[in-house]
Amino acid sequence: MASSGASKNSKKANLLDPHSIKHTLDESVTELVKGKGYPEDVRLSNLRLIIGAVIIGIALLAQFYNKKFPENRNFLIGCIISYVAFNLLLHFISYTKEKNAILFTYPPAGSFSSTGLVVSSKLPRFEEMYTLTIASADPKSISANKTVHLTKSVTKWFTKDGELVEGLFWKDVERLIDDYNNDRKSK
């Protein structure tokens, strides 16, 4: 019975699908970092949702405007320009701010640091090397630490059946978080 309970809590990934592997690892990293006392910063996600809602509003307004085509030509041109501009803004935010980030955090409660973390990951297609990066959310801050990286083969963390061996993976991630935090102590 103990093994059936363990299998319910274990995370599985399709080993033939790099997206599934990355998603499983990213989900586990997010749980661990939040469990270490770093509250999630969702401001950027909320901004993206608001911009997306504005884009949908523009599209709906253009579709259901009460005048027919020849009369609403200038209005439609304005909607198209606005639609493209907001989409470009959304892509700009994704490209410049998010990049490969999977988690933005605030500093832990009671911490002397004024900056949270940006946790990002990379698993290139057709490769087995997973790279996890922890950086300061505000790299120009005086309390910012040096960026730390972990690059390791995903075969070290998964069984042949695709189950994530969380104990091994969490040790590596905790060591990376400790490396990031130890840089602060060495300053």
Side-chain angles (χ1 to χ4, degrees):
M1 288 217 172
S3 64
S4 68
S7 66
K8 284 182 185 174
N9 294 332
S10 66
K11 294 181 180 169
K12 272 192 129 175
N14 178 356
L15 296 179
L16 301 175
D17 179 12
H19 179 71
S20 173
I21 293 170
K22 184 179 182 312
H23 178 72
T24 302
L25 293 172
D26 291 351
E27 193 176 272
S28 191
V29 168
T30 300
E31 282 177 28
L32 181 64
V33 171
K34 286 182 185 177
K36 287 277 200 177
Y38 288 91
E40 186 172 3
D41 180 359
V42 293
R43 290 178 296 184
L44 192 59
S45 296
N46 289 344
L47 176 64
R48 288 182 62 226
L49 286 171
I50 290 168
I51 293 171
V54 168
I55 291 169
I56 291 169
I58 292 169
L60 289 173
L61 197 60
Q63 178 69 30
F64 296 113
Y65 190 65
N66 61 0
K67 291 185 180 178
K68 295 295 174 196
F69 173 62
E71 300 166 16
N72 69 352
R73 182 172 180 254
N74 291 336
F75 178 76
L76 284 178
I77 290 172
C79 285
I80 291 169
I81 290 170
S82 300
Y83 183 88
V84 170
F86 278 104
N87 265 306
L88 287 173
L89 177 64
L90 193 59
H91 287 292
F92 178 77
I93 289 171
S94 293
Y95 183 75
T96 60
K97 298 291 183 193
E98 280 188 336
K99 299 177 185 165
N100 294 320
I102 57 172
L103 179 67
F104 293 91
T105 72
Y106 293 109
S111 169
F112 292 110
S113 176
S114 62
T115 179
L117 304 177
V118 175
V119 181
S120 54
S121 69
K122 226 190 277 188
L123 180 63
R125 194 171 182 186
F126 305 119
E127 289 189 28
E128 65 180 51
M129 300 306 283
Y130 178 79
T131 302
L132 184 65
T133 304
I134 298 179
S136 173
D138 183 10
K140 295 176 182 160
S141 170
I142 194 163
S143 61
N145 291 344
K146 290 182 184 173
T147 301
V148 291
H149 304 277
L150 165 72
T151 301
K152 208 170 196 179
S153 171
V154 294
T155 60
K156 305 289 185 199
W157 301 314
F158 285 95
T159 65
K160 291 178 183 174
D161 299 328
E163 283 192 39
L164 176 63
V165 182
E166 282 188 319
L168 292 173
F169 181 61
W170 282 27
K171 274 185 194 174
D172 289 338
V173 175
E174 284 176 341
R175 193 175 307 120
L176 188 66
I177 293 169
D178 290 343
D179 288 349
Y180 178 83
N181 289 328
N182 285 340
D183 181 50
R184 178 174 295 125
K185 291 174 186 167
S186 65
K187 284 182 180 177

